[in-house]
């Protein structure tokens, strides 16, 4: 367990499971939950026992985004939402994207606003068939954040990105998967079992290579083909020197299961 009950944290089989835990508010983010989630991802960066992360939510929702009660303009003054983004959401997004370990996201229910875009920032996102994704910002006069204006057009193209962002229409999990916004929609009852098995499989894999693969694929968003080819050469050189590569080849040739250490 972490210091805060707003994010339940447990390390098992190399998988750090982070469960958003404000179920009565559909896991909307208040400052305490922000701090707890950030601490979880910081641990994932620094703790070599963590080989993969599984992010999910408690109760019937994944996350309804920012807790609007916490940023209520009726409470006097005009809240500085840029400050909230700068202090909490942007560092979180950077922690997820820069983590050189796989981040699996299991969307167990509605994901709205920043909650949806955090799910799209993870490396492999599964969703329960009953889950919905909502760019709720449009309903309250805001702009998609948490990388939404970056990830949506890249993942599904400008036409669909704009329609989702401007209408805030809920998108079901099956369509999100068909459009390429997430990896897979699975039966509700099977979600956690599948997400846990996938996370454990990744955590037992050559995670150093996985980290570099993640870095390379993300770099492609801004690299030219030449730059990307050079990056692949450099990363492959590094991967080729890893203990996991030596183990992987040895295990293949000896017809046995490899034992990867993430080094
Ligand atoms: C909530 C919330 C919520 C508080 C449900 N806050 N209580 C960044 C920077 C700074 C500021 C602003 O924002 C951002 C980024 C963002 O994320 S902006 C987008 C914020 N999120 C939304 O606008 C979504 C608001 N929620 C909804 O539209 C609905 O709750 C959805 C569609 C997510 C789910 O609908 P239902 O399944 O019908 O559930 P519900 O509405 O009955 O919610 C259940 C409870 O959760 C309820 O509390 P109550 O005490 O009445 O039972 C809601 O008030 C509470 N809740 N979202 N964001």
């Amino acid at each position: 367990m972490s210091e805060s009950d707003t994010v339940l944290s447990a390390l098992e089989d190399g998988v750090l499971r982070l469960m958003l835990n404000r179920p009565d508010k559909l896991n909307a983010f208040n400052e305490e939950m922000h701090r707890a989630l950030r601490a979880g991802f910081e641990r994932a960066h620094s703790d070599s026992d963590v080989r993969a992360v599984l992010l999910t939510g408690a109760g019937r929702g994944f996350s309804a985004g920012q807790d609007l009660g916490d940023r209520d303009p009726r409470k006097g003054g005009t809240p500085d939402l840029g400050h909230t983004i700068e202090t909490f959401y942007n560092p979180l997004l950077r922690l997820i994207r820069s983590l050189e370990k796989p981040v699996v996201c299991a969307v167990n229910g509605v994901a709205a606003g920043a909650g949806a875009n955090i799910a799209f920032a993870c490396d492999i996102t599964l969703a329960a068939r009953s889950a919905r994704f909502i760019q709720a910002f449009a309903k309250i006069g805001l702009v998609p954040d948490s990388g939404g204006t970056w990830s949506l057009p890249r993942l599904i193209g400008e036409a669909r990105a704009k329609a989702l962002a401007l209408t805030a229409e809920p998108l079901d999990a099956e369509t999100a998967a068909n459009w390429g916004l997430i990896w897979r929609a699975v039966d509700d009852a099977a979600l956690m079992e599948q997400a846990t098995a996938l996370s454990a499989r990744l955590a037992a894999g050559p995670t150093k290579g996985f980290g570099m693969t993640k870095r390379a694929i993300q770099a492609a968003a801004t690299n030219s083909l030449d730059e990307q080819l050079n990056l692949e050469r450099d990363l492959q050189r590094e991967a080729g020197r890893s203990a996991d590569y030596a183990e992987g080849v040895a295990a293949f040739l000896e017809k046995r299961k490899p034992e990867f250490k993430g080094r």
Side-chain angles (χ1 to χ4, degrees):
M1 295 275 282
S2 69
E3 284 167 33
S4 162
D5 287 344
T6 56
V7 175
L8 304 179
S9 164
L11 179 63
E12 199 180 328
D13 296 332
V15 178
L16 181 65
R17 194 181 71 165
L18 300 173
M19 181 181 270
L20 308 176
N21 188 40
R22 299 185 71 220
D24 53 332
K25 297 288 177 200
L26 296 180
N27 303 321
F29 279 84
N30 63 6
E31 293 198 3
E32 187 185 341
M33 196 168 96
H34 270 298
R35 273 189 277 273
L37 187 59
R38 181 201 292 216
F41 276 101
E42 281 171 347
R43 175 180 177 191
H45 274 258
S46 63
D47 185 345
S48 58
D49 288 341
V50 176
R51 306 266 303 275
V53 175
L54 170 56
L55 176 64
T56 190
R60 71 177 179 88
F62 172 69
S63 172
Q66 174 66 34
D67 188 318
L68 295 174
D70 247 29
R71 291 291 178 274
D72 179 357
R74 296 172 309 178
K75 286 181 178 166
T78 310
D80 179 355
L81 303 191
H83 177 76
T84 309
I85 303 259
E86 187 62 31
T87 311
F88 297 114
Y89 290 100
N90 286 357
L92 174 65
L93 265 286
R94 291 184 178 115
L95 279 170
I96 294 173
R97 299 286 294 182
S98 65
L99 180 64
E100 292 217 350
K101 301 171 185 182
V103 180
V104 174
C105 182
V107 180
N108 51 298
V110 68
N117 293 338
I118 289 167
F120 301 146
C122 295
D123 300 315
I124 304 184
T125 297
L126 308 175
R129 234 173 272 288
S130 68
R132 295 162 291 149
F133 296 91
I134 309 173
Q135 294 296 314
F137 313 90
K139 290 186 178 172
I140 52 173
L142 293 184
V143 174
D145 58 27
S146 303
T149 59
W150 189 89
S151 57
L152 287 171
R154 276 177 171 75
L155 292 171
I156 58 175
E158 199 173 308
R160 285 169 168 166
K162 283 180 181 161
L164 288 182
L166 298 177
T167 66
E169 274 185 25
L171 190 72
D172 63 89
E174 196 78 52
T175 309
N178 290 338
W179 285 7
L181 255 179
I182 63 168
W183 166 234
R184 209 168 255 172
V186 303
D187 290 342
D188 289 21
L191 177 72
M192 284 320 294
E193 194 187 317
Q194 287 201 24
T196 303
L198 173 63
S199 309
R201 191 178 99 201
L202 292 169
T207 42
K208 185 179 166 74
F210 291 166
M212 289 191 285
T213 301
K214 171 172 174 174
R215 199 196 318 166
I217 290 176
Q218 291 178 179
T222 49
N223 272 352
S224 66
L225 176 60
D226 270 341
E227 288 167 327
Q228 195 67 15
L229 291 174
N230 289 340
L231 177 64
E232 288 177 1
R233 175 202 58 211
D234 295 344
L235 292 177
Q236 202 70 301
R237 182 171 285 140
E238 199 180 332
R241 291 182 182 134
S242 71
D244 281 346
Y245 174 65
E247 167 64 4
V249 174
F252 175 77
L253 296 175
E254 292 161 18
K255 299 189 186 309
R256 62 172 174 81
K257 206 169 165 284
E259 275 188 43
F260 293 117
K261 304 271 187 257
R263 292 195 296 266

